[in-house]
Amino acid sequence: MTDTPFALTGKTAVVTGGCGLLGTAMCRAFAASGAHVIITDVDRDKAEALAREITSSGHHAEAAVLDITDDESIISFVRETAEANEGIDIWVNNAYPRTSDWGTKFEDIPPASLRKNVDMQMNGYALCCQSVLEDMKERGLKGSLVNICSHYALVAPTFSVYDGTEMTMPAAYSLIKGGLLNFSRYLAAYYAQCGIRVNSVCPGGVFDGQPPSFVERYNDLTMLGRMAAPEDIAWPVVFLCSDAAGYVTGHSLVVDGGLTAM
Ligand SMILES: NC(=O)c1ccc[n+]([C@@H]2O[C@H](COP(=O)([O-])OP(=O)(O)OC[C@H]3O[C@@H](n4cnc5c(N)ncnc54)[C@H](O)[C@@H]3O)[C@@H](O)[C@H]2O)c1
């Protein structure tokens, strides 16, 4: 593996929200590809448990607390982590902070809640981008950053798949992910001359024990006839961060089993 451009040996990779459904799979995939993965999350215990699991299988990982809604915490985390590791080569914005009323019907969302979710998710990602991309630039590192978006950055939900369940697709999700997708293109253009690449990944729905009626209807929307597994998303993220994707920037990699291609 070390002699292919897919290998990440010697690279430092940071994943935000690294203990969640997708973050866990990404951290394992980065570590298995040879990177030193820094699992960041607001949940210290889970991050430490995942770091122990990864290091016990012979790979490199460490845990750190990083709250992407805390501006000072982002700045100091980037400064200290970059100093300790001679820079951060890879950064994945994947954390998913949301209010307790996330999912309220559009017409019923309290203005303060809408503002809060947009602030936590959009500004949280944007401020992480600002800190880490500037640090990469100052160090002359040809780093790679990926923003995790969604296929709902590209298309409207098919609301009927949620019929008869408690699930829905929050309005703010399309607002936020659509914005982050084009923001990723902005950053790709802005930092291209420094040799820094910025891309986004648009995962489709990931299976996580959703009600069978939903899963059946959702599966029918995809060409592959199934929801994603976390690993289906993790490996394309790793690819984008590797030298194998050295000529890929400003791209949105859609990983949705063909849903948006139909
Ligand atoms: N699960 C899906 O079906 C799906 C589909 C498309 C896109 N996505 C996107 O993938 C990303 C990860 O989603 P997931 O399903 O793994 O979510 P998840 O809820 O399983 O995990 C999110 C993680 O973020 C952490 N977190 C919450 N607030 C935080 C904060 N303020 N700072 C740092 N970390 C924080 C949580 O502790 C958790 O570990 C999100 O951006 C989500 O929008 C998910």
Side-chain angles (χ1 to χ4, degrees), residues 37-75:
V37 66
I38 304 182
I39 306 154
T40 74
D41 206 287
V42 285
D43 191 329
R44 181 188 294 276
D45 290 346
K46 272 196 185 169
E48 287 177 348
L50 181 58
R52 276 195 301 277
E53 175 213 294
I54 290 174
T55 50
S56 70
S57 58
H59 301 304
H60 303 286
E62 67 181 276
V65 171
L66 172 60
D67 179 350
I68 68 153
T69 67
D70 178 342
D71 306 352
E72 286 310 313
S73 148
I74 295 170
I75 292 166

Side-chain angles (χ1 to χ4, degrees), residues 17 19-23 41-42 66-69 94-98 125 148-150 173 177 203-206:
C19 306
L21 182 67
L22 297 189
D41 206 287
V42 285
L66 172 60
D67 179 350
I68 68 153
T69 67
N94 163 76
Y96 193 12
R98 60 261 204 209
Y125 277 40
I148 302 301
C149 294
S150 165
Y173 198 68
K177 295 300 191 182
V206 180

Side-chain angles (χ1 to χ4, degrees), residues 18 45 59 76-78 83 94 118-119 160 165 199 215 235 254 257:
D45 290 346
H59 301 304
S76 58
F77 173 84
V78 168
E83 264 168 35
N94 163 76
V118 170
D119 184 40
S160 57
T165 75
N199 292 289
V215 175
W235 290 107
V254 183

